[in-house]
Amino acid sequence: MESVIEFFTSNKDIIFIVILMIFVGVEVIGNVPAVLHTPLMSGANAIHGVVIIGAILVMLDSEPTNYLALSLGFLAVLLGTLNVVGGFVVTDRMLEMFKKKK
Amino acid sequence: MESVIEFFTSNKDIIFIVILMIFVGVEVIGNVPAVLHTPLMSGANAIHGVVIIGAILVMLDSEPTNYLALSLGFLAVLLGTLNVVGGFVVTDRMLEMFKKKK
Amino acid sequence: MNIEIIHIVYLIASVTFILGLKMLSNPKTARRGNLIAAGGMIAAIVGTILLREEPVSPIIYSLIFGAIILGTIIGWLTAKKVQMTKMPELVSLFNGMGGACAALIGLIEFPNIAAHFPGKLGVVLAGMLIGSVSFSGSMIAWAKLNGTLKNAIRLPKYNILNTVILVGLVGYAVYIVFAQDYSLTHLYLLFTLSLVYGVLFVLPIGGADMPVVISLLNSFTGLAAAFGGFLYDNQVMLTGGILVGSAGTLLTLVMCKAMNRPLYSVVFGAFGEAASSSTSNGPQGNVTEISASDLAVQMNYSSKVLIVPGYGLAVAQAQHVVKELETLLEERGVEVAYAIHPVAGRMPGHMNVLLAESNVDYDKLKEMEDVNPEFAQTDVVLVVGANDVVNPAAKTDPNSPIFGMPILEVENAKSIVVNKRSMNAGYAGIQNELFFKDKTNMLFGDAKKVLSELVNELKNLD
Amino acid sequence: MNIEIIHIVYLIASVTFILGLKMLSNPKTARRGNLIAAGGMIAAIVGTILLREEPVSPIIYSLIFGAIILGTIIGWLTAKKVQMTKMPELVSLFNGMGGACAALIGLIEFPNIAAHFPGKLGVVLAGMLIGSVSFSGSMIAWAKLNGTLKNAIRLPKYNILNTVILVGLVGYAVYIVFAQDYSLTHLYLLFTLSLVYGVLFVLPIGGADMPVVISLLNSFTGLAAAFGGFLYDNQVMLTGGILVGSAGTLLTLVMCKAMNRPLYSVVFGAFGEAASSSTSNGPQGNVTEISASDLAVQMNYSSKVLIVPGYGLAVAQAQHVVKELETLLEERGVEVAYAIHPVAGRMPGHMNVLLAESNVDYDKLKEMEDVNPEFAQTDVVLVVGANDVVNPAAKTDPNSPIFGMPILEVENAKSIVVNKRSMNAGYAGIQNELFFKDKTNMLFGDAKKVLSELVNELKNLD
Amino acid sequence: MKLSVLKESETGETRVALVPKSISKLKKIGIDVIIEKGAGEKAAFKDEDYIAAGGELANSFSDAIKRADIVVKINPPTSEQISELGPEKVWISQLFHRLNDSLIDALSATGVSAFSLDAMPRISRAQSMDVLSSQSNLSGYKAVISGADNLGKIFPMLMTAAGTVTPAKVLIFGVGVAGLQAIATAKRLGAVVEATDVRPECKEQTESLGAKFISVEDDGVKTEGGYAKEVTEDYLQKQKEAVNKSLANADLVITTALVQGAKAPILISREQIELMKNGSVIVDMAVAKGGNTALSKPDEIVVHKGVKIVGVSNFPAQIPTNASELLSRNIDTFLSHLVTDGSFNWDFEDEITKGTLIINNQKLSS
Amino acid sequence: MKLSVLKESETGETRVALVPKSISKLKKIGIDVIIEKGAGEKAAFKDEDYIAAGGELANSFSDAIKRADIVVKINPPTSEQISELGPEKVWISQLFHRLNDSLIDALSATGVSAFSLDAMPRISRAQSMDVLSSQSNLSGYKAVISGADNLGKIFPMLMTAAGTVTPAKVLIFGVGVAGLQAIATAKRLGAVVEATDVRPECKEQTESLGAKFISVEDDGVKTEGGYAKEVTEDYLQKQKEAVNKSLANADLVITTALVQGAKAPILISREQIELMKNGSVIVDMAVAKGGNTALSKPDEIVVHKGVKIVGVSNFPAQIPTNASELLSRNIDTFLSHLVTDGSFNWDFEDEITKGTLIINNQKLSS
Ligand SMILES: NC(=O)c1ccc[n+]([C@@H]2O[C@H](COP(=O)([O-])OP(=O)(O)OC[C@H]3O[C@@H](n4cnc5c(N)ncnc54)[C@H](OP(=O)(O)O)[C@@H]3O)[C@@H](O)[C@H]2O)c1
Ligand SMILES: NC(=O)c1ccc[n+]([C@@H]2O[C@H](COP(=O)([O-])OP(=O)(O)OC[C@H]3O[C@@H](n4cnc5c(N)ncnc54)[C@H](OP(=O)(O)O)[C@@H]3O)[C@@H](O)[C@H]2O)c1
Ligand SMILES: NC(=O)c1ccc[n+]([C@@H]2O[C@H](COP(=O)([O-])OP(=O)(O)OC[C@H]3O[C@@H](n4cnc5c(N)ncnc54)[C@H](O)[C@@H]3O)[C@@H](O)[C@H]2O)c1
Ligand SMILES: NC(=O)c1ccc[n+]([C@@H]2O[C@H](COP(=O)([O-])OP(=O)(O)OC[C@H]3O[C@@H](n4cnc5c(N)ncnc54)[C@H](O)[C@@H]3O)[C@@H](O)[C@H]2O)c1
């Protein structure tokens, strides 16, 4: 109990941010029409590609000689990039059809 | 410039919270029907009565002999309470009419 | 330990505020939302007092409790006693109290902060300044709604004057902070100036625009509370204040939009110019407008609605949408019927022809003699493009061209809503005093268009 | 200094994510929203690399750039080349990549964190675990959509099995953290188990439910990213991840609701039971359903829509709402007409009687011979409660009771939507192969009800 | 106070001035009703119905008149009926007094007081007593039904396996009470309807029924009473140009144009009729006042180069039940205006009394 | 190949079997059209119109028959016409062969081949050649117009200053093609409509037009051809009970009930007629097949205790223009089925050819 409260206190801002972010996430897409379900999912998919930042940080912090870390890190950055680039581009293509024909 | 960045860094969580809160505030009432404009305003009015916490803190921190601070503080708590209590009660009364008649 | 638990309490309170506002924007949950926010508020207040670790003198405790109890009694009684129609002015009053509270905090803390944390001086001043403006502005708004202050009072070139004062105010505060000149004279001068600005800000504005102003001042107070939160590094004040600040600003914008008035005219005091446009050539005074969404809620919560169609229904070809309205209301358990005046329209049976086209059940069409006694039990009468057939002058004014014609006695209903495009007269060419009655609200616009909106609002209600 | 600027960059990026998602939920702004979020992402990535204060070896820089360039090329090309119909599987694939990235971060950081910040070990493991599940699950989903994996494969009692594995997985991670047993064996075992769970989680689920699953896995990956943010105390990862986590979860729920399937059946793998119910006694295969809101967008962005009314329109008495649909579409610049088959309905001129009642212009009613050549230039044909009159069997099947009857050749249109209540036959009692065509989507439900929904969705589109 | 209802004697008349339902209403204001035997027969009201409602029967019109203080009828009195009248009696019927000087003289000579129902002023308050309005309304409906019955085509558009039947095109002259009801009825049946009138406000009214208005580029003005005045030759010429195209396409034309106190205007000349399609039909509702076409004859069907011109002088008589019901309501409301508690109560300042009282030989109470 | 269109000779018949519009269509399949002089006159089609469309005139029916390979008419041939016929010629008209043995014998004797239009099978493909369907449809409309014209009331509800006119109550027996169109037309005019039929699927169809269906608690079954079969006495009894209340309230009753190959069923007995209101009207559309009421007489208006019973045996003849147009389209479609490139092309396996070819003396090509 003690430790939970302690954890809470030391991270209170982060926790606050998380909670607010959850509200924002939910509110922001609250009125999405069904036709946008797939593009929205795809766009959200691209956004969580932000995990690539973690992969970059891993690499930046690695020893230039730690080959295992470097190769795994390389892979991680590559995959993360795929997620980001592929995600945004595919979303954009899906959304092309919303252009008014005339 | 320097100092702005510094201010930013030292308060980054707070700033984040403020920004998110703005989003939440805007999103949360985004679809309010016109009939609820007044009750919503009234409810929001009650919520900013939270300023009373500041007044209480002022008093709690005051010297028991600082009569000026105490009397101003007393007034502040009183006014804050009016804001809170009056605000919530009046909102509740406005909303009574939304009860289904049958 | 306590100091840590209080953070959890504050977090919960903040969340209740968010949830509360969210629920307040939906008619179904609004009341519960208000209570939830109130619960959070009580928790935050109680927590602040009780979870204190440093010892506090009993005098101070008793002062605090005294103030709270006193405030609660006064606030509660005022709020409970006030008449329905006086509520907006009460909201303004309470808003002013909050602003005053913020201003007082600033006044008290200024010397303290100046001495110990000069870095936060800007925050203190900002809170005080905004609080004061909100306070004095709200008081003026209250007095106007109240009737104490009747007219919009405008100093010459008030627009320029106000802007100058505002700039001076902000400049002065910035000067105090940067010049590090912490004399109390400055403080009181700034305080006084802020109060004056608040007064001048609201004075020129006409009564009809008060709701928008109150909403704006409301978000000011929120901002002042947020500065308080910043000052004390207090999360619940911060989040509560910002929440009200942002939601309040949006609400102000939305209200402006509903009134068809851009925000800049609010900020720059160009208020009230168009405010009296709702009266026409007719001499009988002011009419009250109602929006489609307000009407939708009102109808949704009624038990019995009567629709009075007239020639305007035919002109607008609104027979299909009126039928849709009927169906929707009936689905919601509202009893709906049509009151047909024998000469409504421009030919005998005009309304019958129209309503038959949209398949309105013959049983729902009530003749004048049968329906007149029913109005007294009717919650809402919706008059759609009818005028002469509901004109009380037929009974009261022997000089009227329609004197002696029996009319539909809609005035007996609990509430009357009249849809037409303007204040123009009907066939007989005479103004209708019904439109100026307290119980009557006008829903202006082409019948087909406006009723479609109404139908949409009704659909959005669940 | 740089380290401070990066916080501002991150803040901006987070805001673009929020704005991006918000704009993505409105057809008008969706595309711009996607680009805005992408801009924020680029800023965050570039900032992270460039605003580094400690020196970094050029090898590492080149590796990073190499990976990014390679990833960009592959990602871009794949995304650009893929056919429209293959997009969902690509989303699943990319989602898996994100999960794998998170899992790899966990794998790499585990020893490091274990050594230096044991307090954050739980965070590392959580990120790795969730990332792995998301990765392997997405791969299975991809393979299913792809056609590589055809059927739902179900181990006996897979529900219980899956739950057991999940509980074991979590228990094992908790054990590692609390027992402070940081051997890599544990790590790899946990990793493998997570991958297995991901596979078993998705395997039993039928193809029709994949979109929901992908959305769920999507929010998992978001969560994994958020744990990464927690790990590095990195705000943009944290906020981006949480945002996707919460929005993704809501989206999953919304999609479930649109498919009429409760969430628990998603979580507990009770998928796919009802998936094949859309085929009826007719033998011709699967039909595709379309929702009113999808149809609304499709129609809104069409140039020409033809409506084919049939007996069902009469049964539902949907003539008024079909007229409303026409008016709305015409207001939006869509050309609308009605294709009237000479024997539609149950009496000669049945459709004329109905449509005249709702005041449809006579000029908008097209005879069969005149309209048949027009279908090829029609974007959407909406068949409302008609069946026999659009049944190609009349041309192709000499044994059919309607053989030889001329029909409306709706198959020539770019897209066909058929509204009826079920897969039941019409007057002639025969199944209609039109409903099973690729170009055909079914909009099931009573015509009046469903068209009202359609009209509402259309109104919400602006 | 006794009121007698006479049986109508005009050929083709089927209506009756009072229906059984009105008897109890009149009882309340102190009027007892006597019915000439068989008066309601043709309108489906039997003598028994009247008796059941509280009326008495009279065997002949002279009997009926003799026993009454007030005598009501729809049509003007015949000379036999006039000979039975005398002072102290009050006569109520349509009199068309401006066109009927000799009748008025004969009536005056008897010393009777007489009200003319057709002279009812067109004010809001009098709307419920206005027989022209109530009967025109029914006529407008009936003219369409009669036109539809005479036409070789059907009204609605029908797309059938045996081909498409195009909707009938109906053109209506005069958008007064009858014209509006005709528009509504023709629209209901599915026809494509156009209409024209001298009064510009008719445009909106026509459109309010979903039909198209043909505007004539000129300003027709209306008199205060809601009646149209005579228009210039120039106007008629412009009207011809505006309508000729529609006329050539029309399947059914209905004319209702009347001008107060004058002969009905000729709106369709012989040449215009010859423009029309083979098989088309004109229903002339103004035929009793001279007709709106050059060729119409009262109560005859004239066929001219394939165009049927149907002149019906008394449409309401073709729907006697409803027509009598409305008339009866008009008349009993009018009586309520004139009689209180069994005695007359005339206010000579009152517009209604003043307007309708054509011959006044009566003292103020009976 | 030549086709002659004869002028109808039955009294009261106004239609013509072919209208000018069909001539060019027939030309395309190699048929030239000859018209007996004046054949289209009553339906508003002039001889000039036919010539303009590419037809030739014949001065008499014998001239027309002599010059033709195919002879078409609506009604069965008269004995004079039969005497002109001979082998190698093809006759097309309604023959009602099941009720007309002597006619068939006489025709057969001439060696002609004859198709009966009324024997068209009720299959989807034949819908565009089905004259019963196309004519019933028009009859349904016309029956309502005719009913409205005969009724002393108006159809719609009208709330006016002179009181409220209640809507007419219309009751329809038989919800086939004619019944449905009658329902639609009566609804359009604003009546309150009820209907009843033996076939249970008629309930939904009636409701799809906004009217009320009176279900009889029994299961009437239909034959494959879409025709109703004869029902039991028990059913008729139950039907009486179910409808009597509506009958007593009805202002207008329209009966359309037919049974294939049999006399029309009597659905309204004399006692039931006596239940009805004074002034109400019955339109019996089945009168040509014996009538649906006990008292109806073909082409007469019988008045029984205040109830008018209107029997019209040939409603389509009252709307000859439209009726002829649809018939003509039916017939030209039928001819397209029988003739390719100017020569016959009969497939005896084909349901349509098989069903309609009543007398076959023809070799397969002309
Ligand atoms: N029934 C008959 O037989 C007959 C015949 C002749 C005369 N009249 C007379 O007509 C009058 C009938 O009374 P009433 O109440 O039905 O009509 P009215 O008094 O003429 O009033 C109709 C009202 O509808 C409004 N309107 C017009 N178009 C509209 C639209 N598109 N959307 C919304 N409102 C619209 C007009 O106001 P805005 O311009 O402000 O929108 C007008 O004030 C009586 O005076 C009666 O005596 C009746
Ligand atoms: N026009 C004539 O004169 C005439 C006369 C007799 C027969 N027919 C025959 O009738 C047929 C007409 O073709 P059609 O395409 O108009 O009709 P249809 O083939 O009978 O099909 C009507 C369809 O409407 C659907 N439906 C029924 N109620 C509905 C509702 N409330 N909402 C939405 N859909 C509904 C039914 O499917 P669900 O049950 O799945 O909803 C049905 O498949 C032809 O076969 C024609 O030969 C025509
Ligand atoms: N009490 C009342 O308020 C009351 C009662 C009845 C009628 N009215 C009004 O009075 C007006 C006339 O009613 P009415 O039907 O008795 O009129 P009406 O019978 O006298 O004439 C019929 C129509 O013919 C039109 N007409 C005349 N000359 C014409 C010409 N040359 N070309 C084309 N049209 C021509 C008239 O304008 C009128 O609309 C209507 O607007 C009606 O609503 C009012
Ligand atoms: N080609 C086609 O598919 C085609 C063509 C024409 C008609 N039809 C169908 O055939 C059916 C009958 O058409 P019809 O109008 O020619 O029929 P019809 O003229 O033979 O009979 C008229 C109606 O009377 C009804 N009836 C018979 N006995 C009755 C009784 N005792 N009481 C009450 N009602 C009774 C019948 O059920 C029928 O509905 C309809 O459903 C029609 O849609 C199909």
Side-chain angles (χ1 to χ4, degrees), chain B residues 7 11 13-15 17-102, chain C residues 10 17-18 21-22 24-27 30-31 34-35 37-38 41 44-45 48-49 52 56-57 60 63-64 66-68 70-72 74-76 79-82 84 87 90-91 94-95 97-98 100-102 104-105 108-109 211 214-215 218 221-222 225 230 232-240 242-244 246-247 250-251 254-255 291 293-294 297 300-303 332-333 379:
Chain B
F7 172 84
N11 291 295
D13 287 342
I14 297 281
I15 291 174
I17 290 176
V18 168
I19 290 179
L20 287 183
M21 212 68 200
I22 292 174
F23 268 105
V24 171
V26 167
E27 287 299 328
V28 125
I29 69 154
N31 292 312
V32 61
V35 67
L36 281 174
H37 285 174
T38 310
L40 182 62
M41 178 170 81
S42 177
N45 166 52
I47 289 175
H48 68 48
V50 73
V51 71
I52 191 187
I53 305 264
I56 294 174
L57 289 178
V58 166
M59 289 203 74
L60 289 174
D61 290 338
S62 298
E63 292 303 307
T65 51
N66 182 346
Y67 296 120
L68 178 70
L70 278 188
S71 45
L72 286 182
F74 179 83
L75 192 60
V77 174
L78 179 67
L79 296 181
T81 311
L82 277 178
N83 186 173
V84 170
V85 175
F88 282 120
V89 174
V90 112
T91 311
D92 192 59
R93 280 200 53 198
M94 285 182 195
L95 292 171
E96 263 172 18
M97 67 173 244
F98 286 92
K99 271 187 303 194
K100 189 86 185 149
K101 284 199 178 159
K102 285 147 290 187
Chain C
Y10 282 171
F17 293 167
I18 299 176
L21 270 198
K22 167 136 192 85
L24 268 168
S25 26
N26 180 330
R31 209 166 173 203
N34 185 49
L35 294 182
M41 184 67 80
I45 294 174
T48 307
I49 300 173
R52 184 76 180 181
V56 176
S57 105
I60 290 182
L63 279 177
I64 294 179
I68 291 182
L70 197 61
T72 305
I74 300 176
W76 191 288
K80 276 285 180 194
K81 285 242 172 93
V82 72
M84 272 295 180
M87 291 205 181
L90 205 61
V91 172
F94 291 142
N95 182 46
M97 301 298 102
C101 181
L104 285 176
I105 293 174
I108 305 170
E109 290 286 4
I214 297 176
S215 174
N218 185 36
T221 314
F230 215 22
Y232 295 116
D233 202 1
N234 182 302
Q235 240 155 8
V236 76
M237 284 174 77
L238 183 71
T239 52
I242 294 287
L243 189 64
V244 174
S246 76
L250 179 67
L251 187 58
V254 170
M255 285 166 90
S291 72
S293 76
D294 282 351
V297 173
N300 195 33
Y301 294 97
S302 303
S303 325
R332 283 162 172 74
D379 297 304

Side-chain angles (χ1 to χ4, degrees), chain C residues 48-385:
Chain C
T48 307
I49 300 173
L50 296 189
L51 296 178
R52 184 76 180 181
E53 289 196 321
E54 301 86 29
V56 176
S57 105
I59 300 183
I60 290 182
Y61 266 137
S62 42
L63 279 177
I64 294 179
F65 281 119
I68 291 182
I69 290 170
L70 197 61
T72 305
I73 294 173
I74 300 176
W76 191 288
L77 290 183
T78 337
K80 276 285 180 194
K81 285 242 172 93
V82 72
Q83 296 163 29
M84 272 295 180
T85 51
K86 303 257 175 217
M87 291 205 181
E89 57 193 78
L90 205 61
V91 172
S92 179
L93 186 69
F94 291 142
N95 182 46
M97 301 298 102
C101 181
L104 285 176
I105 293 174
L107 285 182
I108 305 170
E109 290 286 4
F110 180 81
N112 188 18
I113 298 291
H116 307 297
F117 317 93
K120 285 200 162 172
L121 207 63
V123 175
V124 181
L125 286 184
M128 190 211 69
L129 200 156
I130 300 176
S132 313
V133 171
S134 175
F135 167 64
S136 60
S138 300
M139 289 303 107
I140 299 297
W142 170 69
K144 287 205 172 211
L145 285 177
N146 209 359
T148 318
L149 257 175
K150 284 258 164 58
N151 296 315
I153 298 166
R154 292 188 194 154
L155 299 180
K157 303 222 189 274
Y158 65 94
N159 256 334
I160 300 174
L161 186 72
N162 281 1
T163 315
V164 168
I165 296 183
L166 181 61
V167 171
L169 211 53
V170 174
Y172 193 15
V174 171
Y175 162 78
I176 296 176
V177 173
F178 281 95
Q180 311 202 325
D181 179 352
Y182 306 145
S183 103
L184 283 182
T185 326
H186 285 316
L187 178 69
Y188 293 137
L189 198 58
L190 191 68
F191 175 56
T192 317
L193 260 180
S194 309
L195 292 179
V196 170
Y197 178 70
V199 171
L200 293 182
F201 176 62
V202 181
L203 260 191
I205 301 169
D209 291 319
M210 276 307 129
V212 178
V213 178
I214 297 176
S215 174
L216 190 65
L217 293 175
N218 185 36
S219 67
F220 283 4
T221 314
L223 213 57
F227 278 110
F230 215 22
L231 182 65
Y232 295 116
D233 202 1
N234 182 302
Q235 240 155 8
V236 76
M237 284 174 77
L238 183 71
T239 52
I242 294 287
L243 189 64
V244 174
S246 76
T249 309
L250 179 67
L251 187 58
T252 312
L253 290 172
V254 170
M255 285 166 90
C256 285
K257 204 176 149 205
M259 299 181 69
N260 255 328
R261 194 191 306 292
L263 182 65
Y264 73 81
S265 73
V266 176
V267 175
F268 290 105
F271 267 133
E273 320 294 16
S276 57
S277 72
S278 50
T279 56
S280 79
N281 50 350
Q284 293 104 319
N286 266 307
V287 300
T288 330
E289 282 192 51
I290 189 170
S291 72
S293 76
D294 282 351
L295 180 56
V297 173
Q298 201 184 341
M299 288 186 145
N300 195 33
Y301 294 97
S302 303
S303 325
K304 180 164 179 178
V305 168
L306 281 173
I307 297 174
V308 177
Y311 180 54
L313 182 90
V315 173
Q317 290 283 297
Q319 62 269 37
H320 298 293
V321 47
V322 108
K323 165 72 186 180
E324 205 184 344
L325 178 68
E326 175 210 310
T327 313
L328 271 180
L329 288 174
E330 294 257 326
E331 276 169 18
R332 283 162 172 74
V334 184
E335 188 189 330
V336 183
Y338 298 79
I340 311 292
H341 190 281
V343 303
R346 287 291 181 275
M347 68 167 207
H350 204 163
M351 298 300 118
N352 296 104
V353 170
L354 290 171
L355 296 175
E357 182 182 317
S358 60
N359 277 332
V360 170
D361 204 336
Y362 281 152
D363 296 341
K364 289 212 168 299
L365 308 182
K366 308 265 172 131
E367 290 180 63
M368 181 170 62
E369 302 86 58
D370 301 339
V371 83
N372 267 341
E374 281 188 34
F375 283 112
Q377 292 94 52
T378 303
D379 297 304
V380 183
V381 170
L382 178 62
V383 177
V384 183

Side-chain angles (χ1 to χ4, degrees), chain C residues 311 343 345-348 385-388 420-422 427 446-447, chain E residues 127:
Chain C
Y311 180 54
V343 303
R346 287 291 181 275
M347 68 167 207
N387 190 341
D388 298 344
K420 56 204 298 288
R421 295 165 306 181
S422 64
Y427 183 81
D446 176 74
Chain E
Q127 239 160 320

